[in-house]
Amino acid sequence: MTIQTHIEDADTARLDEWLSEMPDTKSVAGFVPGPGIQKLDLKFDIMKLREALETCLGRTEFKGDLSAGFGAFSLTRRPGVDVETPNDLSGLFFTRVDESYKEERREDVVDEFKFSEFVPAFAGTYFEEVHRELSERFPIGRTRVLSKGLYNCNSWHRDPEPRLHIPVITNPGSLFIVNHHVTHLPADGSVYFTDTRGYHTALNGGEHKRVHIVAALAYEQITE
């Protein structure tokens, strides 16, 4: 069907060109690498990851702003420190909050190098094996299990260090964005590098919860 318009210019020509091709609706259900988001060769057993999650949740519970759909519990700690602070679960980050676009610093620096001990309560789980495998390859700091409720999004921010993500439970509407690149991270045991030194967010636009293991890479941290 042709719709007759009164004005034909460069914009109407562009629109005709853009409408001549259908958008890609298939690749968005998988992982697409890009600047700041890459997949490692290392891979874990997804069923064992999910079994470990259930075991750990039998020994602890998610902490945080659960009413806003965010929860976390830690797999690592400072040696011998039993009580974690709210800052341990969040830590320093930078964000822009209004039309001034001025960057603001939030919360305090967390020394990732100090989080070297696996939490004893989760000893013997598959998560301990995952942490050991990661630590043999990379300088691993805080390692947390993060939960995101349905129809939920993190703040748009940047962190002092990059991180590794291992999706345990996800859905096609769960996406990760670093700067201008966005992709889905399937929960198939894969390990994903996310350069969270850039601006990023995680969102769950799906109808089911999303749970990731997130390990901070304890290289030199950005503090400004």
Side-chain angles (χ1 to χ4, degrees):
M1 177 180 177
T2 302
I3 299 176
Q4 187 65 39
T5 58
H6 297 291
I7 297 175
E8 293 185 5
D9 58 14
D11 285 335
T12 62
R14 289 191 192 100
L15 206 63
D16 287 341
E17 180 182 355
W18 296 334
L19 289 171
S20 67
E21 295 184 9
M22 287 295 295
D24 173 15
T25 59
K26 295 182 178 179
S27 69
V28 292
F31 172 68
V32 179
I37 310 178
Q38 301 290 340
K39 184 164 67 173
L40 279 60
D41 290 336
L42 182 63
K43 196 168 186 177
F44 295 101
D45 186 313
I46 186 60
M47 296 311 298
K48 289 183 179 180
L49 288 170
R50 290 174 178 171
E51 289 170 5
L53 176 62
E54 291 302 314
T55 299
C56 289
L57 288 176
R59 302 174 186 177
T60 191
E61 59 186 14
F62 283 113
K63 307 173 185 67
D65 192 353
L66 301 179
S67 63
F70 174 81
F73 66 86
S74 297
L75 295 178
T76 57
R77 68 182 191 180
R78 301 177 186 90
V81 177
D82 293 325
V83 180
E84 61 190 358
T85 68
N87 195 64
D88 290 341
L89 288 175
S90 56
L92 174 67
F93 65 95
F94 304 87
T95 187
R96 296 184 175 97
V97 297
D98 57 34
E99 291 181 348
S100 72
Y101 290 85
K102 181 180 179 181
E103 190 169 72
E104 297 184 11
R105 179 187 174 111
R106 298 285 177 85
E107 309 221 21
D108 299 318
V109 175
V110 173
D111 188 345
E112 299 290 350
F113 289 97
K114 292 183 177 179
F115 285 76
S116 58
E117 182 178 86
F118 191 79
V119 174
F122 308 131
T125 67
Y126 189 57
F127 284 168
E128 184 175 29
E129 181 178 335
V130 169
H131 180 257
R132 182 173 60 252
E133 290 283 347
L134 294 178
S135 299
E136 288 175 350
R137 292 169 172 81
F138 315 106
I140 297 297
R142 286 180 301 162
T143 305
R144 299 164 295 162
V145 179
L146 304 183
S147 174
K148 181 152 293 300
L150 57 157
Y151 308 139
N152 190 266
C153 178
N154 284 354
S155 68
W156 183 241
H157 68 282
R158 65 182 177 95
D159 296 316
E161 69 286 312
R163 294 172 182 176
L164 298 177
H165 277 246
I166 305 174
V168 180
I169 298 174
T170 193
N171 65 77
S174 179
L175 305 172
F176 202 90
I177 303 166
V178 176
N179 287 334
H180 301 291
H181 186 72
V182 56
T183 186
H184 174 61
L185 307 180
D188 58 5
S190 295
V191 182
Y192 300 90
F193 167 77
T194 61
D195 197 346
T196 46
R197 297 173 302 174
Y199 267 86
H200 64 280
T201 187
L203 63 89
N204 182 8
E207 298 180 356
H208 305 282
K209 65 181 179 180
R210 168 253 202 205
V211 179
H212 283 200
I213 298 172
V214 180
L217 290 164
Y219 296 99
E220 183 177 356
Q221 293 176 284
I222 296 170
T223 57
E224 59 182 24

